[in-house]
Amino acid sequence: AAQGPYPSLAPRAVERNLAGGDAPLPPCIEGAEVAEPAPTPPPVPATADPALMARIAQLRAAAREGARAFDDAMTEASEAVSGAGEAGSESWIAAQIAVSEAEMARTPTSTAIAELTALALEETAEPANPIDQRAIEAASEEIRTLAERQTESLETLKASLNDL
């Protein structure tokens, strides 16, 4: 390299001495302690957790069965509301009871959503498996859609009963 007005890049005597001989020790780490490397995270599994997949399948099945029960209860409630008389009458009270029973039929769907939410939280607390996360998200979306449809149906039915 050409000589110029700037300092040489060759190791200085103090750097050679600190490094224990000819190998230079950069001055930026002179006297610094060696930092421990960050722990390596455990590897992410390449396959889905079979126990988790079985639980998701159970929750989906329960929600679908609950949706069928809800549809049956809504049919009965719709018939009761369409035949209801004025507010306070026997038929109106029977319609109110039928609507309440339809609301109770939503329990499996609501429970499945709550359990899937808990599973999603558990999955984020430990090293996440993307396959498991996608399965939870897909099941949650499916069941959430069922729940929204049920809510809309109930609200429409309640509104028509309140208009009597």
Side-chain angles (χ1 to χ4, degrees):
Q3 295 296 324
Y6 32 86
S8 167
L9 296 178
R12 295 176 287 182
V14 69
E15 294 170 332
R16 280 191 300 275
N17 290 339
L18 287 173
D22 292 335
L25 180 67
C28 61
I29 61 169
E30 182 177 328
E33 293 183 24
V34 177
E36 290 293 321
T40 306
V44 176
T47 61
D49 177 5
L52 179 65
M53 293 302 119
R55 184 65 187 135
I56 290 171
Q58 289 173 340
L59 292 171
R60 276 186 157 150
R64 288 176 185 150
E65 183 59 35
R68 284 190 283 281
F70 174 81
D71 290 342
D72 293 344
M74 277 300 290
T75 300
E76 292 177 21
S78 295
E79 290 171 2
V81 168
S82 66
E86 62 184 52
S89 67
E90 291 280 331
S91 59
W92 183 83
I93 292 170
Q96 287 282 4
I97 292 170
V99 169
S100 295
E101 288 172 354
E103 284 187 89
M104 290 298 296
R106 296 185 64 206
T107 301
T109 305
S110 301
T111 302
I113 289 173
E115 289 191 36
L116 281 167
T117 301
L119 287 175
L121 288 173
E122 286 176 21
E123 193 65 22
T124 58
E126 46 192 61
N129 180 342
I131 297 168
D132 293 347
Q133 286 181 326
R134 283 192 296 274
I136 291 170
E137 289 168 7
S140 295
E141 184 62 33
E142 175 188 337
I143 296 171
R144 217 174 273 118
T145 301
L146 284 174
E148 288 169 2
R149 181 183 59 83
Q150 291 173 355
T151 300
E152 290 170 7
S153 298
L154 272 172
E155 293 304 318
T156 301
L157 193 60
K158 286 179 183 179
S160 66
L161 184 60
N162 290 336
D163 290 341
L164 297 178

